Each structure stands twice: as structure tokens, then as C-alpha cells.
Amino acid sequence: MIVQAVKWIGDIDGYLELVDQRKLPIEFATLQCRDVEVLFDAIKTLAVRGAPAIGVSAAYGLVLALQKPTDNIEKAMELLTKAREYLASSRPTAVNLFWALDRMQKKAAEVSRASRPRIAGKACPELVEGMPAPLKAFREAILAEAIAIHREDVEMCRRIGQNGQKFIEEGAGILTHCNAGALATGGQGTALSLMFEAQRNGKKFRVYADETRPLLQGARLTAWELMQAGIDVTVICDNMAGWLMKQGKVNAVITGADRIAANGDTANKIGTYSLSILAREHGVPFYIAAPSSTFDLSTKSGAEIPIEQRAAEEVISFRDAQAAPTGVGVYNPAFDVTEARDIAAIITERGIIEKPNIERVSQHLT
Amino acid sequence: MIVQAVKWIGDIDGYLELVDQRKLPIEFATLQCRDVEVLFDAIKTLAVRGAPAIGVSAAYGLVLALQKPTDNIEKAMELLTKAREYLASSRPTAVNLFWALDRMQKKAAEVSRASRPRIAGKACPELVEGMPAPLKAFREAILAEAIAIHREDVEMCRRIGQNGQKFIEEGAGILTHCNAGALATGGQGTALSLMFEAQRNGKKFRVYADETRPLLQGARLTAWELMQAGIDVTVICDNMAGWLMKQGKVNAVITGADRIAANGDTANKIGTYSLSILAREHGVPFYIAAPSSTFDLSTKSGAEIPIEQRAAEEVISFRDAQAAPTGVGVYNPAFDVTEARDIAAIITERGIIEKPNIERVSQHLT
């Protein structure tokens, strides 16, 4: 079974159900978000994570915002705008979050303009007892937009998986890093989507999951969701990847991406760059699986991608256990940049960019 | 201050004081071993670790064994032999442990033969009240041998550090893996000895310590002992090493070794092999610092070195924190093999083997 990280339960008065990723892999628990505050907290504390999953969740968050009692669309728009600003402040660098919230806001503005009664050519607030039909229709339109965003995400994931099928051979050993799976999206993931589709096609293969220090998304999340799906998965420490390749156990490396530059250079979780060098050394093809929205054509090459340094605490401790001495210096970049020349192909929902370069990327996106 | 992992306090009735490495880096505590049982437990549970440190400790262990009341050398030899067998079973694969115990036993046999009164040309047990002078002399000779083993280890460490000096340049960034420091030896370590000597010579440099999953010896021990010595140290996760090199921050990689084959191929902590590939990719020289006793000429090349697979539990959890799902598959090799062609030099107490190969290794050891 492929886990579903984000679910809307019910109609406009329903709620958002998230897999609580803070508790994985020790406990599988769901978190019911019945108001915007709970969702905000869920995003901030990583109960839900992964850019697409956050975007979809935030879209549903605006549906939750409209459950507060209100008697007209104007006031509903105020609630929605306030919730949008609030949710946008939960993870300040999450591009999909802003994108989803903006799309919802735009839709809301359109619908509200169209649905307000007009007096002398001017829109006026509704004055109806209970829930006026236009307000209900407004809320339904907002839910429909969130569902559309979610469905598009599901479809995008599936297409990436289908497009990358040929890269998973029968009996292969596939190495992945971090979590680019169902837990990170509204659908079945990006890098892991290839594996879910391969399984659907009856292929036998083995996945090696880098544990992915410091936050252990590979050990905690990728291993867990592959086990849930009945896919053969083996966890390794990050420093074992090279030796594993040397033993001939890895036939392909497949990871997701955080940002892809115009020339195909790809920023992804720290450690991906080392994997790309080790893969080249051992003649193992290295693939990136990501939605086309991950491309940032305003970034010419990887050299222009700023690298976020994160808190020392993440490295010093391992979950609740202290690993390094208090006060020691720490270098903790959140991600690194893999050069396009070391990427055999980038797989998107649109298709495949083999040996990516500036021309091929440009061609793929137009 | 360079920490001293193993200390003998007092005379033949003294005791062995170990830095309790199980508690580092959270707490600095010493463990007083006043009998063989406590030492056995200390070795088994890694309160003391690192092949040379274990060897030195075990030698002192035989001094402890002789503190039990006994009235003649024959009985003392029995105590010693029993203790030797017992201690030898604490870590079944530790070569230095066996070597030190055998050397002590050999010395004891020599001294006991020489010190026993002889009647009609035959040695006979002493029959003296209290502690007979020859028995005291025997015990003193045994302590002297343990101290000799310890001193030789201290000297070996210092020479390795001095011999490798030229490889640490003023202002350099040095990357190391695992712990080949004072905590692993009777002296100031092997790989880290170069750093302590460089500091003594007034050089300024920075050390990057790979945290070294799964057991985190780099984060827990190397970072701690370098901080104690006032050396600038920065901890990184193992998967950050390649990116750090790409940023030009690493001028040399220096690690210890577990076993070196006749052709210079070197087995060391898992992750060392990946570092050697990443170092070559970035034009960073890769050095091994180890005593000449680490060479095993009966092993022709790295291909013949068996790789121990360790328990899944080490990867799944750290201390009490669970990282990966219960029951997941785990690949956990204890070490890997770096090819001689990727080693710029091997530094021993005898000198330097530049670009090691079978001829140069053989020449160095004869």
C-alpha cells in the first residue's frame, strides 16, 4: 500500500488528515487538522513536509479557514486572505506553499467577483440568514480548487513514475537519498514514484535508502513508506554508499530535487553531490526525478544557487541523543549541487531530459 | 591538553585508570580498574577502545591479576595465565590485544624461570611467609613490561606524528574519519598525532571530523579530544565531505588504518573508501597514519581482507533514539578497503611510504 500523506475527508465542512511524520517510523499516527492553527503548527513542526505535500495541505488550509462562521463572501474573503498570510509564514522558503496559496487566492478572487449580487453594477455583500447559497457555492469552489491542486499533484507524481520506468531494470539495486516519496507529495512521490510504478509493473528490485543525516529522512521516512508498499528496502549509513557501489550492488541512483538550474545543475539534499561523484566513479547512472516546476530558469547554473546553512543542533544531536560535544563547531549545509554533467537524465511529468544541458532543458520546458 | 586514555597509577599494588569512552562526549569520567573483571567489562563495552589502547590496557590487566594473594611464583603464573585467557576473550578480533598479552606471558615465563630458587638444578616453588622477595621482583618485572609496552606505544604515536608533519601545511583544512587519536592508543594517537605535533610546532590549521556513522566515533571522540587540546575542530555529517572538498576547504585527508595489505591497500572504518574517491576527484591528497604493526604481509591485496558485517541495530538506532523502522533490512559493513593507488602516502613510526605499492611497502618494513 502506498501511503497517502495528505487527505481531505468530507465536504466543505470536512477536515484535513495528515500522516504525522514527526512520529515515524516509531508510530504511525494521523493528525486531524480542523482549523488553520493546527495546520500551521503541523507545517512548522514538520508533521507534514516535502514541498508538494505542503502546497497541497496549505490549499486545503484555506478551505478550513472558510469554516469559521461568516455571513457573506466579502467576510469570507477576509478570512481567506488572513489565513493565506498566516500559512505563508509557516515555512518561509517553501516555493510550493506560496504557489498553492496564491493560486487559491486568485481562484477565490475570481469566484467572489462572479458570485456576488450586483446592485447598480456594483458588487455588494450578501445579507441572507444562515448560509446563503452563493457563499456555499463560493466555499465549494474553493474546495474544488484545492482538490484540483491535489489531483494535479497525484497525476504529476504518477507521470514521473511512468516516464522513468525504463531506468529501473528487473533485478536492479536502486540507491536513493532523503525522501522524495509519497510522504513528500500529495501523490506517490517523485523519485520513489518510479519504484511504485516498477512494482505495479511486476518488476523485482531492491532499494537501498541512505539514512540521510542529519535529519534521517531516508531511514525514517523512505524506508518506512517502501516497507508499507511491500518493496524490498535496505537502509545504509550515508558513508556506505561508495562501498556498496564498489560491490556492484547499485545499478542506478535516483533522487528528487529541490531546485534545478537552467543548465540542469541540481540542488538536492546534502550528500547528493557526493553520490553523483561516487556513481560516476563506479559507472552507475545517476537520475533526478522532479516535477517541471522544480526548474528555476532564472538560475543559470548551480553556482548561483545559495546554500542554506542550518542549525548546528541538527548535527550535534541524533534525535534526542547527543552525538557531538556541546559547543563544537559544525558545518551543516542543507543541500548541495550536483553538476548536470553527472546526471544521466532528469525525469519530469513531461518526459525525460537525457544528458541535461541548457538547450535540452529549455526545449523540454517549452 | 592531550587526553591520556590509559594510565597506570602507583606501583605494583596500583590500579589502571581509563577514560570512560562510553560516556563521552556528554560526560568526562574515569574508570578505575582494580581487578581483571572490571577491565574485561571495560574492554567489552568499549569504555576503552582502539587496538593500541586495548593492548596497553590488557598488559596492565595482567599486573592487576597478580594483586590477588599468592605465595609463590608458580601460583602467580597460574593467575597470570588465567587472566590472559580471560582478557583475550573480551574482543576476539583485536590483534593488539593478543599481541600484548602474548608478550606479557612470554616475559612472565622468562622472569619466573630466572627468579625461582633451584634445588638440584630444578626450579621449585617458593615457600616464604608474606610476599617473598622473588615474587615481588616478579611482579615488578611484569609491571615494568606493561610500562615498556605503554612507553613504546607513546613513542610510536609521537614518531608517526613527527614523520607526517610535512603533510600539514600552515592554514590547512584537514579532514579525518572515525577516531585514530589519543583515545584509541596509549599515546597521542596515529592520524591525530600529526595534528598534535603540528600544534606543538605552532601551526594553525582546522580539522573537519566526519561524525562517522553508525557509532559516531568522529563526533563523540575525535571532536572531543581535539577540543580538549585546543585544536580548531568542526564536525560534519559523513555525507557532507564531498561538498566540503568542492568548496576548497579540505587540503588533506588523514585517517588511521585497521589493516594494511602487502600492496598498500588499506582497510579502515566504513566510509574511508568513499573519502578516498572524493579526495581524488577534488585533487586532495589522502594519507594513512598507522603503526608498522598494522601491515599484514600475508594479505596480498585489499581483495583478500574479509569485511565484518555488524548488527543492524547499530544503524537502526543511536543510543536510545530509533532512526529506522523496526525490522527493516540493514547493510552494515564495519570497514571498507581503500586502494593503494588512491593513497598519497602511508606514515608509520619508521617513516613515510610515498605512493605505496608492494615493493615500497616491503622496503619500508625491512
Side-chain angles (χ1 to χ4, degrees), chain A residues 211 213 219-220 235 238-240 242-243 246 271 273-274 280-282 318-319 323 325 329 331-332 336 339, chain B residues 211 213 219-220 234-235 238-240 242-243 246 271 273-274 280-282 318 322-323 325 329 331-332 336 339:
Chain A
E211 65 174 6
R213 280 279 289 154
R220 293 192 300 114
V235 173
D238 301 308
N239 64 23
M240 297 168 185
W243 187 243
K246 170 100 171 171
Y273 168 71
S274 288
R280 189 213 309 148
E281 166 74 14
H282 296 91
F318 183 93
R319 302 209 103 173
Y331 174 71
N332 185 19
D336 56 28
E339 290 178 49
Chain B
E211 64 174 5
R213 279 281 289 155
R220 292 193 301 115
T234 297
V235 173
D238 301 309
N239 65 24
M240 297 169 185
W243 187 243
K246 170 97 170 172
Y273 169 71
S274 288
R280 189 214 306 150
E281 165 74 14
H282 296 91
F318 171 71
Q322 186 176 346
Y331 174 72
N332 185 19
D336 56 28
E339 291 178 48

Side-chain angles (χ1 to χ4, degrees), chain A residues 48-107:
Chain A
V48 59
R49 39 142 306 274
I54 291 173
V56 171
S57 299
Y60 285 124
L62 298 190
V63 181
L64 292 175
L66 297 182
Q67 290 176 351
K68 282 201 179 155
T70 180
D71 52 10
N72 63 51
I73 289 181
E74 201 115 298
K75 286 187 185 160
M77 276 299 286
E78 282 170 24
L79 285 175
L80 191 140
T81 302
K82 210 175 129 192
R84 170 178 164 258
E85 283 166 14
Y86 177 59
L87 287 173
S89 69
S90 60
R91 288 284 300 273
T93 53
V95 171
N96 286 53
L97 171 64
F98 308 143
W99 171 85
L101 289 171
D102 286 351
R103 175 166 157 183
M104 291 293 287
Q105 176 86 19
K106 202 176 147 199
K107 185 66 171 184

Side-chain angles (χ1 to χ4, degrees), chain A residues 160-362:
Chain A
I160 289 174
Q162 288 164 347
N163 290 340
Q165 267 320 284
K166 64 174 182 179
F167 300 126
I168 298 191
E169 286 170 15
E170 178 67 25
I174 310 291
L175 177 63
T176 189
H177 191 68
C178 199
N179 177 260
L183 287 168
T185 63
Q188 64 185 29
T190 53
L192 297 197
S193 178
L194 273 70
M195 302 168 201
F196 295 130
E197 288 298 319
Q199 185 190 38
R200 198 164 284 142
N201 294 340
K203 286 184 195 166
K204 293 265 181 298
F205 55 97
R206 164 170 291 177
V207 180
Y208 292 97
D210 268 352
E211 65 174 6
T212 318
R213 280 279 289 154
L215 296 181
L216 297 161
Q217 294 94 335
R220 293 192 300 114
L221 307 177
T222 295
W224 182 83
E225 69 170 85
L226 291 175
M227 281 174 89
Q228 296 305 306
I231 291 176
D232 182 358
V233 57
T234 297
V235 173
I236 63 169
C237 296
D238 301 308
N239 64 23
M240 297 168 185
W243 187 243
L244 192 71
M245 291 181 194
K246 170 100 171 171
Q247 308 310 304
K249 291 185 190 288
V250 181
N251 304 98
V253 180
I254 308 175
T255 77
D258 282 287
R259 201 202 292 201
I260 308 177
N263 71 343
D265 287 353
T266 296
N268 190 44
K269 183 66 60 200
I270 185 70
T272 307
Y273 168 71
S274 288
L275 282 186
S276 72
I277 302 297
L278 292 168
R280 189 213 309 148
E281 166 74 14
H282 296 91
V284 173
F286 183 95
Y287 303 107
I288 295 288
S292 57
S293 61
T294 314
F295 283 91
D296 176 2
L297 298 184
S298 72
T299 306
K300 288 201 174 54
S301 78
E304 292 179 15
I305 302 178
I307 303 292
E308 178 194 1
Q309 289 288 329
R310 292 180 58 85
E313 192 48 35
E314 288 183 354
V315 173
I316 287 177
S317 60
F318 183 93
R319 302 209 103 173
D320 295 332
Q322 187 175 344
T326 307
V328 73
V330 167
Y331 174 71
N332 185 19
F335 53 93
D336 56 28
V337 180
T338 294
E339 290 178 49
R341 61 168 183 157
D342 288 321
I343 300 171
I346 299 174
I347 302 134
T348 79
E349 77 283 5
R350 293 170 172 229
I352 296 168
I353 315 173
E354 308 243 16
K355 295 181 185 160
N357 60 26
I358 193 156
E359 293 78 23
R360 295 203 184 101
V361 166
S362 164

